[in-house]
Amino acid sequence: METSSLAQRLAMRFVAGTTLEQALAVCRDLNAEGITVTLDVLGESVSSLEEAAAARDVYLRTLSAIHDGSVQGNVSLKLSQFGIDLSEAECRANVGQLVERARTLSGFVRVDMESSEYADRTLALVHDLFSQFGAVGTVIQAYLYRSRADIEKLNQRGIRVRLCKGAYLEPASVAFPKKADVDKNYVELMQLLLDKGNYPAIATHDENMIAATKAYAETHKISRDAFEFQMLYGIRRDLQRQLAKSGYRVRVYVPFGAAWYPYYMRRLAERPANILFILRNLFR
């Protein structure tokens, strides 16, 4: 699959290339349209600490390239790529190096949320690194029951939050099983973030959620530069442009790297409903 030209063409619809240089070119094009970016170096669940260190080094180069190239963007990472399943201490050290570099470059690091089994470890690490360096935020998934309590703690610290619905297949013991309940919780958490959060990121392609966010911000006199919408590269580019032209801040999540095939397979295996989501946007 990785050597198939057809597969690569399909993958590049949602991945900004296999190299940092290719990804930066995509980022400059997005910047030219008034859209900022967050770069994600593909690769999760490393099998050795050497692989985790290599991922750290790629991210360090990416942060420097963003700064040196005057790209309007930051980076997002997953702790499984930085070795948390192998050594929490080594993972913390790896991410700490990145956040410290981000602080010196006036940059920012977003620690993505993975499945619920990582939630406590992820939040503990983010709270700790924020105390040391600032320049770090995280992601909260609206389908988890615990998310309101997590957001309240993050808001109290002034830690930036990206709110998403959640893409992993979770049991009903920890997550809302019905879409209607997830949507309801998403709106409530969005309102909490707009009221008390530090520059929240509202990550969704759902036009109902976007409309609810716009309506709440307008009703409560919340400035359009006090928050941002976030979307995935290759998904609803028309909507991204429309929001940016309307004066809303928009950031696109831009994945790149050679590990595009496992990236896709994990997304589809974690939640089969993602297949329909990708197909709909492939032909949009």
Side-chain angles (χ1 to χ4, degrees), residues 67-141:
H67 177 267
D68 296 343
S70 299
V71 172
Q72 299 301 304
N74 54 43
V75 298
S76 294
L77 63 88
K78 291 178 173 59
L79 296 185
S80 63
Q81 186 179 10
F82 276 62
I84 195 168
D85 293 321
L86 304 171
S87 167
E88 286 200 34
E90 288 293 324
C91 175
R92 186 178 296 262
N94 286 332
V95 181
Q97 286 187 48
L98 194 65
V99 176
E100 186 174 19
R101 174 73 63 83
R103 182 184 64 176
T104 63
L105 299 176
S106 299
F108 179 76
V109 175
R110 179 87 63 181
V111 178
D112 287 340
M113 190 64 71
E114 300 179 69
S115 60
S116 58
E117 65 181 290
Y118 289 93
D120 286 327
R121 288 177 289 170
T122 299
L123 291 172
L125 183 145
V126 168
H127 278 280
D128 183 43
L129 292 180
F130 183 81
S131 296
Q132 293 182 61
F133 308 113
V136 65
T138 191
V139 178
I140 295 296
Q141 299 160 320

Side-chain angles (χ1 to χ4, degrees), residues 232-251:
L232 295 170
Y233 176 68
I235 307 290
R236 294 305 308 272
R237 185 72 178 271
D238 58 332
L239 184 55
Q240 296 167 16
R241 289 169 173 154
Q242 176 187 331
L243 287 168
K245 289 179 180 178
S246 298
Y248 290 97
R249 294 190 174 186
V250 179
R251 188 180 304 274

Side-chain angles (χ1 to χ4, degrees), residues 7-25:
Q8 289 179 1
R9 285 199 299 274
L10 290 173
M12 293 310 115
R13 173 72 166 74
F14 305 104
V15 175
T18 58
T19 68
L20 176 57
E21 290 71 24
Q22 290 171 327
L24 290 172

Side-chain angles (χ1 to χ4, degrees), residues 193-209:
L193 284 167
L194 290 184
D195 285 337
K196 299 182 179 180
N198 174 22
Y199 191 63
I202 310 303
T204 182
H205 304 95
D206 187 330
E207 294 192 52
N208 292 327
M209 299 299 103

